[in-house]
Amino acid sequence: MNLSSRLPVLCLVLFGLSGAAQLARAEAPFQPVPHQAGKDVIWLPTSQSLVDEMLTMAKVTSKDLVYDLGSGDGIIAVTAGKKFGARAIGIEFNPKMAEFATQRAKKEGVADKVSFINGDIFAEDFSQATVVTMYLLPTLNLRLRPTLLDMKPGTRIVSHAFSMQEWEPDQTSTAGSGSAYLWIVPAKVAGVWDIKGLEGAAPGKLTLHQSFQQIGGTMTVAGVSQPLLGAQLSADKLSFSFFGPDKVMQSITATVAAGNLSGMHTAYGTTKAVEAKRL
Ligand SMILES: C[S@@+](CC[C@H](N)C(=O)[O-])C[C@H]1O[C@@H](n2cnc3c(N)ncnc32)[C@H](O)[C@@H]1O
């Protein structure tokens, strides 16, 4: 066989080889690359030690539903399921990342409680979460802040790096070279409350001012207003002290739910139930 007669065979072999190479390239499993582009923020994974710390700060248990906003390779959601026994859902815009994380959950044996949604964190509903985790950007944290503040009081939010500006974290921690911040969604308590059950007094008027979890205000009993002392709010739990009209210190600890406040009032060595309604 001379060269001219071998040429078509050679072409076929070369064509076949390049086709096979293309096929191999097309079928190579997707592998995420640090700093790869994302819709609103690039992908960089949180280190395992910081993930563990974030979920520990949030006191995650098997009763929790954890949502990781921008879930990348799935490390946070998978850890929440595997080490903390929680149900977890990751929301990830990049479909290949969402699929990669889904396969990871299967490999790690937690696919029964850990799943991933291919979607946009600004469009998907994560209002059922009891814990929200994120590693985004300061601007994105601020865009999410109103939604997070509307979640059920007591929902824990943990962010790898980045603040929420005036909404100061309830706790800060570090692991490796990273920092994590924890916020507990506070109940909305601002307003004037008609309070009944104060020992030996006419109904009182409780005025509460609120900036995120910081609160202050006054208690008015028998026409005398006194500032609240040591006022604290954590999730739906409220506590404060005040001096009554007779200069005796009194204190209230209460739970807030849907415009009602109910708890205990301590004065003159006795503790009794107290109720209030927001006016
Ligand atoms: C910095 S990585 C964090 C990944 C993971 N949460 C972690 O801590 O390891 C941010 C992730 O958010 C994803 N992302 C960016 N914008 C998004 C959006 N609007 N909706 C959902 N995911 C988004 C990126 O693709 C990337 O995987």
Side-chain angles (χ1 to χ4, degrees):
M1 213 190 283
N2 61 25
L3 185 62
S4 62
S5 64
R6 280 185 193 165
L7 209 54
V9 178
L10 200 64
C11 284
L12 267 176
V13 170
L14 286 175
F15 184 75
L17 281 177
S18 85
Q22 268 177 19
L23 202 66
R25 261 203 307 279
E27 284 177 359
F30 169 75
Q31 197 58 43
V33 179
H35 299 100
Q36 75 190 18
K39 178 176 176 278
D40 292 307
V41 58
I42 60 163
W43 174 67
L44 260 186
T46 299
S47 69
Q48 186 65 62
S49 61
L50 192 59
V51 171
D52 292 351
E53 180 58 20
M54 288 166 72
L55 299 173
T56 301
M57 285 168 89
K59 298 190 169 73
V60 172
T61 72
S62 57
K63 292 190 182 134
D64 280 308
L65 173 59
V66 178
Y67 266 77
D68 185 31
L69 306 186
S71 47
D73 67 358
I75 187 169
I76 295 183
V78 167
T79 304
K82 198 166 177 176
K83 289 196 184 170
F84 294 79
R87 285 183 303 132
I89 298 175
I91 303 177
E92 170 58 52
F93 193 78
N94 180 335
K96 289 186 177 160
M97 289 301 271
E99 179 53 27
F100 183 87
T102 301
Q103 294 309 323
R104 180 177 189 162
K106 277 187 196 153
K107 273 189 216 133
E108 306 256 8
V110 288
D112 55 333
K113 36 184 185 229
V114 179
S115 59
F116 295 88
I117 296 171
N118 177 211
D120 189 328
I121 55 172
F122 294 104
E124 297 295 333
D125 176 14
F126 53 90
S127 59
Q128 294 309 304
T130 56
V131 175
V132 175
T133 57
M134 49 204 206
Y135 178 25
L136 297 168
L137 281 175
T139 47
L140 302 184
N141 281 11
L142 277 190
R143 264 178 79 188
L144 287 166
R145 197 174 79 176
T147 308
L148 297 170
L149 280 164
D150 271 345
M151 293 183 78
K152 190 169 177 242
T155 305
R156 290 91 84 205
I157 318 289
V158 207
S159 179
H160 170 181
F162 311 129
S163 76
M164 298 260 200
Q165 287 207 349
E166 313 85 350
W167 186 12
E168 288 179 9
D170 293 288
Q171 195 187 329
T172 302
S173 189
T174 56
S177 56
S179 299
Y181 304 98
L182 169 77
W183 293 264
I184 296 170
V185 173
K188 294 183 171 75
V189 299
V192 180
W193 298 76
D194 185 26
I195 190 157
K196 292 191 172 68
L198 298 183
E199 182 68 22
K205 200 166 35 140
L206 170 67
T207 303
L208 288 172
H209 308 294
Q210 177 172 20
S211 171
F212 306 101
Q213 72 273 57
Q214 312 290 344
I215 55 162
T218 55
M219 175 67 100
T220 306
V221 182
V224 180
S225 287
Q226 294 286 352
L228 302 186
L229 306 170
Q232 289 195 333
L233 175 68
S234 179
D236 57 356
K237 303 279 181 281
L238 178 69
S239 63
F240 56 87
S241 299
F242 60 98
F243 284 106
D246 55 3
K247 309 279 187 291
V248 172
M249 177 81 97
Q250 310 185 21
S251 64
I252 287 179
T253 56
T255 302
V256 184
N260 290 305
L261 188 154
S262 65
M264 303 308 286
H265 169 237
T266 302
Y268 313 106
T270 57
T271 299
K272 289 193 174 162
V274 69
E275 297 284 335
K277 274 200 184 309
R278 199 182 338 228
L279 294 174

